[in-house]
Amino acid sequence: SLYLDSSGKLWAGTIESEVYLFDREADMFRRLDLIRKETENIPENYIWNFYEDYSGKIVSAASHGVFSWDPITLEVKDITYLPEILSSFRNNEIRYIFEESTDITWIGTWGKGLYQYQVKTGRWTNYQVEPWNPNSISNNDVNVIYKDRGGVIWIGTQEGLCMLDPARNLFKKYQNDPRDAGSLHFNFITSFCEDQKGRIWIGTYGGGISLFYPNEEKFLAYQRHAEDPGSLINNAIRAICEDHSGRLWI
């Protein structure tokens, strides 16, 4: 996972229990220690995503829990201020956590779909595949959740892209259609990045990048081509991030 926080710090998480913070002055990444308790290191802890909460802390969803970082002191803690949310997810199930507001938190899981938690009321809403309902979520394996600048919630699953209408509990699905060159090019979604022009870059695991034009609802593919040295170096995309100068990091 890659994440650019509000102060311009670049955070990077790996599948080998490692978190890195980019040191701009030294032009290098600094490795940070990830712990659950004061003296307990966690092995094989996949770092799935980061986000900045409303208190300014950097929160990371990992395969063995959720962790909070102080961006100034770089102190890390096993999260304790969301016990209601975390108590049900302890067995490598959390893939993505996203705080939409001080009242609403979204959690993407592996196998249990999408959860919305309302802090004030304590209410949980779970969205899972309903075979009889064409407007349900496309898959119960949720890899990524994203809120664009227009307030739209996007969900990336193993079987396509979903746009959520929370007022009606409906999902609009975007999936690959081999007959349509302007459709989503690969269904296994791993990452989102909305650029300064309002376009959404969608990373996939095996199909490169699909660039989504919201107004036209069309997709443009960027993939690896062995004969083209200017193409992507790999079609398995884990994270996409745009810096303040408009450059994309992939």
Side-chain angles (χ1 to χ4, degrees):
S1 179
L2 291 175
Y3 182 74
L4 192 68
D5 68 22
S6 62
S7 68
K9 295 186 178 73
L10 181 65
W11 299 75
T14 77
I15 63 173
E16 297 178 344
S17 311
E18 295 173 339
V19 173
Y20 292 88
L21 184 62
F22 186 64
D23 185 331
R24 293 178 181 273
E25 293 184 0
D27 196 29
M28 63 183 295
F29 282 93
R30 173 184 175 185
R31 185 177 185 274
L32 307 179
D33 291 328
L34 179 63
I35 58 173
R36 167 172 285 181
K37 298 177 182 178
E38 291 183 359
T39 59
E40 180 186 357
N41 287 320
I42 301 180
E44 299 181 357
N45 202 32
Y46 287 30
I47 311 300
W48 294 115
N49 86 294
F50 298 95
Y51 76 91
E52 186 170 357
D53 69 16
Y54 280 82
S55 70
K57 297 292 192 300
I58 304 300
V59 179
S60 62
S63 55
H64 289 278
V66 179
F67 301 87
S68 174
W69 301 83
D70 185 310
I72 305 300
T73 66
L74 301 182
E75 179 185 7
V76 60
K77 294 181 179 179
D78 190 354
I79 208 167
T80 56
Y81 57 86
L82 293 176
E84 301 90 346
I85 291 180
L86 300 179
S87 61
S88 299
F89 307 102
R90 280 297 184 185
N91 298 317
N92 303 330
E93 295 173 349
I94 294 179
R95 282 298 177 97
Y96 208 90
I97 183 167
F98 167 66
E99 188 179 48
E100 181 184 0
S101 66
T102 55
D103 184 45
I104 296 177
T105 297
W106 295 92
I107 297 175
T109 72
W110 190 255
K112 293 187 177 180
L114 177 71
Y115 284 83
Q116 182 201 68
Y117 178 67
Q118 297 181 18
V119 178
K120 293 179 182 178
T121 63
R123 179 183 177 186
W124 287 89
T125 303
N126 180 218
Y127 302 93
Q128 293 197 34
V129 173
E130 298 172 341
W132 63 89
N133 180 5
N135 296 311
S136 68
I137 196 168
S138 62
N139 188 263
N140 288 333
D141 295 332
V142 176
N143 297 317
V144 59
I145 307 163
Y146 183 76
K147 181 180 180 180
D148 68 22
R149 289 194 288 271
V152 176
I153 299 292
W154 299 90
I155 299 97
T157 77
Q158 276 210 58
E159 295 186 8
L161 170 68
C162 295
M163 181 180 70
L164 174 63
D165 181 346
R168 298 189 297 164
N169 287 337
L170 301 179
F171 291 87
K172 183 173 183 178
K173 302 174 187 176
Y174 300 87
Q175 294 173 308
N176 175 252
D177 181 353
R179 300 164 297 180
D180 182 1
S183 70
L184 182 67
H185 292 84
F186 202 77
N187 286 332
F188 196 135
I189 309 299
T190 59
S191 53
F192 294 110
C193 178
E194 183 179 11
D195 67 19
Q196 297 173 10
K197 298 179 181 179
R199 303 172 300 180
I200 300 178
W201 298 78
I202 302 169
T204 73
Y205 193 69
I209 296 174
S210 282
L211 175 57
F212 181 57
Y213 295 84
N215 293 335
E216 295 84 5
E217 294 198 326
K218 293 293 185 181
F219 297 84
L220 177 65
Y222 290 88
Q223 297 177 318
R224 169 174 168 74
H225 300 286
E227 69 281 1
D228 182 3
S231 66
L232 291 174
I233 62 172
N234 197 294
N235 284 327
I237 308 299
R238 285 292 188 182
I240 307 172
C241 182
E242 184 184 37
D243 65 21
H244 293 301
S245 67
R247 295 175 298 183
L248 289 179
W249 297 78
I250 300 166

